[in-house]
Amino acid sequence: MLFRSHTDAVLEEYKAAAALAAAQTNTPHLVLTGYEPQNQAPQQFHMDHSIMADAQAQESGAPYVPARPGGTSAFPDQGSVTRAVSSLPDPQVLADLDAAADYGKKLPAANGKLFVTGFCWGGGKTFLFATHRHDLSGAFVFYGPPPAADLMKNIAAPVYGFYAGNDARITATVPKTQEEMKAAGKTYEPVTYDGAGHGFMRAGEAPDANAANVAARQAGFKRLVQLMGGVH
């Protein structure tokens, strides 16, 4: 399983997901995850890499492959990080994901299943990757925009959406996306969490998180784990 955490607080959840995936399949899934840049300190990206690498070695034996060149410590502020991530060209993003997926699937521990999930910007790239990569077992889009409708015909895997009720910019795209995916004959199953805001997977872990974000985060994570165990 290739997994990028948000903060130290999700380490135990990551361990649980890795253990569940390994227990259900005898070998870990490979999961590609997208970056959620908002509200993250530049040094956190480096911290997550080392934390998750240690966790994988101890808990699951699954490969952890950090992004290269990776890291955000060279940027002066969070705004610069967000602008840099947002300006990455789609071909480069897809090539990076392909390289990680190809590497992971060749590892002895791999079972051939490949999932992709992303958050915010990463959610949009997750949906886009599903139009590009044809050996996916599933794509999990957390509050990210859809790809162009003419690309949806290329999707080979089911797409599962996780959206916030209080996120008009993104959630407003869901009805049209449902129509377009249905017209293309593709599986698209969105869930909207009432009262939650954009970025609830991060916001829901904050000490002062509101009840809607906490509930959405818990329900979203549970659904993600269940889908990874149930998608074949």
Side-chain angles (χ1 to χ4, degrees), residues 159-207:
V159 178
Y160 301 93
F162 302 72
Y163 300 98
N166 187 22
D167 184 15
R169 181 178 66 89
I170 295 298
T171 306
T173 68
V174 171
K176 185 177 180 181
T177 302
Q178 287 178 297
E179 294 176 2
E180 292 170 342
M181 287 286 281
K182 183 177 180 179
K186 306 303 178 181
T187 299
Y188 174 61
E189 298 182 8
V191 171
T192 299
Y193 299 95
D194 292 340
H198 184 85
F200 60 77
M201 290 299 286
R202 181 189 303 283
E205 68 179 354

Side-chain angles (χ1 to χ4, degrees), residues 22-162:
Q24 289 179 332
T25 65
N26 295 321
T27 53
H29 296 309
L30 175 66
V31 179
L32 305 177
T33 69
Y35 178 44
E36 182 179 27
Q38 73 258 27
N39 301 323
Q40 185 177 28
Q43 69 270 21
Q44 185 65 53
F45 198 74
H46 285 303
M47 292 170 62
D48 285 347
H49 280 178
S50 61
I51 290 168
M52 299 317 297
D54 291 345
Q56 292 219 221
Q58 295 170 11
E59 297 296 326
S60 70
Y64 176 74
V65 186
R68 297 180 184 278
T72 55
S73 61
F75 292 88
D77 52 48
Q78 181 57 41
S80 298
V81 173
T82 301
R83 287 190 294 274
V85 171
S86 299
S87 67
L88 290 171
D90 287 340
Q92 178 182 337
V93 174
L94 296 176
D96 287 346
L97 290 173
D98 275 334
D102 292 342
Y103 170 81
K105 290 189 72 174
K106 294 176 182 177
L107 292 169
N111 66 0
K113 291 184 179 181
L114 176 63
F115 298 93
V116 60
T117 184
F119 310 83
C120 185
W121 176 89
K125 300 312 176 186
T126 289
F127 216 149
L128 181 65
F129 192 57
T131 72
H132 164 80
R133 184 88 185 194
H134 297 150
D135 59 346
L136 289 176
S137 295
F140 309 109
V141 177
F142 282 80
Y143 33 85
D150 62 345
L151 295 177
M152 293 178 181
K153 64 180 182 294
N154 301 322
I155 295 175
V159 178
Y160 301 93
F162 302 72

Side-chain angles (χ1 to χ4, degrees), residues 214-232:
V214 171
R217 183 175 185 274
Q218 292 173 345
F221 187 82
K222 182 178 180 180
R223 182 183 182 221
L224 174 65
V225 172
Q226 290 175 336
L227 287 169
M228 283 195 294
V231 177
H232 300 285

